[in-house]
Short mmCIF file of all heavy atoms in Angstrom, two decimals:
data_model
loop_
_atom_site.label_atom_id
_atom_site.label_comp_id
_atom_site.label_asym_id
_atom_site.label_seq_id
_atom_site.Cartn_x
_atom_site.Cartn_y
_atom_site.Cartn_z
N ILE A 2 10.29 0.89 5.72
CA ILE A 2 10.82 1.97 4.96
C ILE A 2 11.35 3.09 5.94
O ILE A 2 11.09 3.09 7.12
CB ILE A 2 9.74 2.65 4.04
CG1 ILE A 2 8.60 3.13 4.86
CG2 ILE A 2 9.34 1.64 3.01
CD1 ILE A 2 7.65 4.10 4.11
N ASP A 3 12.08 3.98 5.31
CA ASP A 3 12.56 5.21 6.05
C ASP A 3 11.29 6.11 6.26
O ASP A 3 10.79 6.67 5.26
CB ASP A 3 13.62 5.92 5.26
CG ASP A 3 14.15 7.18 5.91
OD1 ASP A 3 13.60 7.59 6.94
OD2 ASP A 3 15.13 7.71 5.34
N LYS A 4 10.91 6.34 7.51
CA LYS A 4 9.76 7.15 7.80
C LYS A 4 9.88 8.56 7.23
O LYS A 4 8.85 9.22 6.95
CB LYS A 4 9.48 7.21 9.28
CG LYS A 4 9.10 5.86 9.90
CD LYS A 4 8.94 6.02 11.37
CE LYS A 4 8.71 4.69 11.98
NZ LYS A 4 8.64 4.75 13.44
N LYS A 5 11.08 9.03 7.04
CA LYS A 5 11.26 10.39 6.57
C LYS A 5 11.38 10.50 5.04
O LYS A 5 11.39 11.53 4.45
CB LYS A 5 12.55 11.03 7.16
CG LYS A 5 12.44 11.16 8.68
CD LYS A 5 13.66 11.76 9.25
CE LYS A 5 13.50 11.78 10.76
NZ LYS A 5 13.82 12.95 11.42
N ASN A 6 11.29 9.26 4.39
CA ASN A 6 11.31 9.28 2.97
C ASN A 6 10.43 8.11 2.41
O ASN A 6 10.91 7.21 1.79
CB ASN A 6 12.79 9.05 2.47
CG ASN A 6 12.92 9.21 0.97
OD1 ASN A 6 12.00 9.78 0.33
ND2 ASN A 6 13.99 8.70 0.42
N PRO A 7 9.17 8.24 2.72
CA PRO A 7 8.24 7.11 2.27
C PRO A 7 8.15 6.99 0.71
O PRO A 7 7.82 5.92 0.28
CB PRO A 7 6.90 7.55 2.85
CG PRO A 7 6.99 8.98 3.14
CD PRO A 7 8.45 9.30 3.45
N ALA A 8 8.53 8.03 0.05
CA ALA A 8 8.44 7.93 -1.49
C ALA A 8 9.51 6.92 -2.00
O ALA A 8 9.39 6.52 -3.17
CB ALA A 8 8.66 9.28 -2.12
N ALA A 9 10.43 6.56 -1.18
CA ALA A 9 11.49 5.61 -1.58
C ALA A 9 10.96 4.15 -1.45
O ALA A 9 11.78 3.24 -1.74
CB ALA A 9 12.72 5.83 -0.74
N LEU A 10 9.75 3.94 -1.18
CA LEU A 10 9.21 2.56 -1.08
C LEU A 10 9.37 1.91 -2.50
O LEU A 10 8.84 2.44 -3.46
CB LEU A 10 7.81 2.53 -0.71
CG LEU A 10 7.05 1.20 -0.76
CD1 LEU A 10 7.59 0.21 0.23
CD2 LEU A 10 5.51 1.39 -0.49
N PRO A 11 10.15 0.80 -2.60
CA PRO A 11 10.32 0.26 -3.94
C PRO A 11 8.99 -0.29 -4.52
O PRO A 11 8.19 -0.91 -3.83
CB PRO A 11 11.30 -0.94 -3.62
CG PRO A 11 11.94 -0.57 -2.38
CD PRO A 11 10.91 0.17 -1.55
N PHE A 12 8.73 -0.03 -5.81
CA PHE A 12 7.63 -0.52 -6.44
C PHE A 12 7.37 -1.98 -6.32
O PHE A 12 6.28 -2.51 -6.05
CB PHE A 12 7.55 -0.07 -7.92
CG PHE A 12 6.34 -0.46 -8.65
CD1 PHE A 12 5.17 0.21 -8.55
CD2 PHE A 12 6.38 -1.64 -9.46
CE1 PHE A 12 4.07 -0.19 -9.24
CE2 PHE A 12 5.25 -2.03 -10.18
CZ PHE A 12 4.09 -1.34 -10.06
N SER A 13 8.48 -2.70 -6.45
CA SER A 13 8.40 -4.18 -6.35
C SER A 13 7.90 -4.65 -4.98
O SER A 13 7.14 -5.60 -4.81
CB SER A 13 9.69 -4.83 -6.73
OG SER A 13 10.73 -4.40 -5.82
N ALA A 14 8.36 -3.91 -3.96
CA ALA A 14 7.92 -4.30 -2.54
C ALA A 14 6.45 -4.02 -2.39
O ALA A 14 5.68 -4.73 -1.76
CB ALA A 14 8.80 -3.54 -1.52
N LEU A 15 6.02 -2.77 -2.84
CA LEU A 15 4.63 -2.42 -2.75
C LEU A 15 3.76 -3.41 -3.51
O LEU A 15 2.68 -3.83 -3.04
CB LEU A 15 4.38 -0.99 -3.24
CG LEU A 15 2.89 -0.55 -3.24
CD1 LEU A 15 2.30 -0.58 -1.82
CD2 LEU A 15 2.81 0.86 -3.82
N SER A 16 4.17 -3.83 -4.64
CA SER A 16 3.43 -4.79 -5.47
C SER A 16 3.25 -6.05 -4.74
O SER A 16 2.16 -6.67 -4.69
CB SER A 16 4.14 -4.99 -6.83
OG SER A 16 3.52 -5.84 -7.62
N LYS A 17 4.33 -6.61 -4.07
CA LYS A 17 4.28 -7.85 -3.34
C LYS A 17 3.31 -7.63 -2.13
O LYS A 17 2.47 -8.50 -1.89
CB LYS A 17 5.66 -8.16 -2.80
CG LYS A 17 5.67 -9.41 -1.87
CD LYS A 17 7.04 -9.56 -1.17
CE LYS A 17 7.39 -8.47 -0.26
NZ LYS A 17 6.85 -8.44 1.05
N ASP A 18 3.46 -6.55 -1.42
CA ASP A 18 2.55 -6.27 -0.29
C ASP A 18 1.15 -6.15 -0.69
O ASP A 18 0.25 -6.68 0.03
CB ASP A 18 3.00 -5.05 0.51
CG ASP A 18 4.41 -5.24 1.19
OD1 ASP A 18 4.92 -6.35 1.17
OD2 ASP A 18 4.95 -4.22 1.69
N LEU A 19 0.87 -5.47 -1.76
CA LEU A 19 -0.53 -5.36 -2.24
C LEU A 19 -1.11 -6.76 -2.63
O LEU A 19 -2.32 -7.01 -2.42
CB LEU A 19 -0.65 -4.44 -3.38
CG LEU A 19 -0.71 -2.90 -3.00
CD1 LEU A 19 -0.67 -2.09 -4.24
CD2 LEU A 19 -1.89 -2.61 -2.17
N ALA A 20 -0.26 -7.62 -3.21
CA ALA A 20 -0.77 -8.88 -3.52
C ALA A 20 -1.23 -9.65 -2.31
O ALA A 20 -2.25 -10.36 -2.27
CB ALA A 20 0.31 -9.67 -4.30
N ILE A 21 -0.47 -9.49 -1.23
CA ILE A 21 -0.79 -10.17 0.04
C ILE A 21 -1.99 -9.44 0.72
O ILE A 21 -2.89 -10.08 1.17
CB ILE A 21 0.40 -10.21 0.95
CG1 ILE A 21 1.50 -11.18 0.32
CG2 ILE A 21 0.03 -10.69 2.39
CD1 ILE A 21 2.88 -11.04 1.02
N ASN A 22 -1.89 -8.14 0.85
CA ASN A 22 -2.87 -7.41 1.64
C ASN A 22 -4.21 -7.10 0.98
O ASN A 22 -5.16 -6.89 1.66
CB ASN A 22 -2.24 -6.05 2.08
CG ASN A 22 -1.05 -6.20 2.95
OD1 ASN A 22 -0.90 -7.13 3.64
ND2 ASN A 22 -0.19 -5.26 2.90
N THR A 23 -4.24 -7.07 -0.36
CA THR A 23 -5.48 -6.69 -1.04
C THR A 23 -5.91 -7.70 -2.08
O THR A 23 -7.07 -8.05 -2.08
CB THR A 23 -5.33 -5.31 -1.68
OG1 THR A 23 -4.98 -4.34 -0.63
CG2 THR A 23 -6.57 -4.81 -2.35
N LEU A 24 -5.02 -8.06 -2.94
CA LEU A 24 -5.43 -8.97 -4.05
C LEU A 24 -5.89 -10.32 -3.43
O LEU A 24 -6.84 -10.94 -4.00
CB LEU A 24 -4.30 -9.16 -5.01
CG LEU A 24 -3.83 -7.91 -5.76
CD1 LEU A 24 -2.74 -8.27 -6.74
CD2 LEU A 24 -5.03 -7.18 -6.40
N SER A 25 -5.29 -10.77 -2.38
CA SER A 25 -5.72 -12.02 -1.76
C SER A 25 -7.18 -11.86 -1.18
O SER A 25 -7.95 -12.78 -1.25
CB SER A 25 -4.82 -12.45 -0.62
OG SER A 25 -4.80 -11.51 0.42
N VAL A 26 -7.48 -10.66 -0.75
CA VAL A 26 -8.84 -10.43 -0.18
C VAL A 26 -9.86 -10.45 -1.40
O VAL A 26 -10.95 -11.00 -1.25
CB VAL A 26 -8.93 -9.05 0.52
CG1 VAL A 26 -10.37 -8.80 0.99
CG2 VAL A 26 -7.95 -9.05 1.68
N LEU A 27 -9.50 -9.93 -2.54
CA LEU A 27 -10.42 -10.01 -3.68
C LEU A 27 -10.63 -11.45 -4.06
O LEU A 27 -11.77 -11.87 -4.39
CB LEU A 27 -9.82 -9.22 -4.83
CG LEU A 27 -10.60 -9.27 -6.13
CD1 LEU A 27 -12.02 -8.68 -5.94
CD2 LEU A 27 -9.89 -8.46 -7.28
#
């Protein structure tokens, strides 16, 4: 992401990353 605009992180990208980074751990 743009370090100066982290709020622009797309929801779909965060959802994918959370599935890999956290939901897989659960």
Side-chain angles (χ1 to χ4, degrees):
I2 60 166
D3 178 355
K4 294 176 187 178
K5 295 183 186 226
N6 188 18
L10 174 64
F12 180 79
S13 60
L15 177 60
S16 182
K17 174 191 65 79
D18 292 352
L19 280 174
I21 293 166
N22 295 334
T23 303
L24 299 181
S25 65
V26 179
L27 178 59

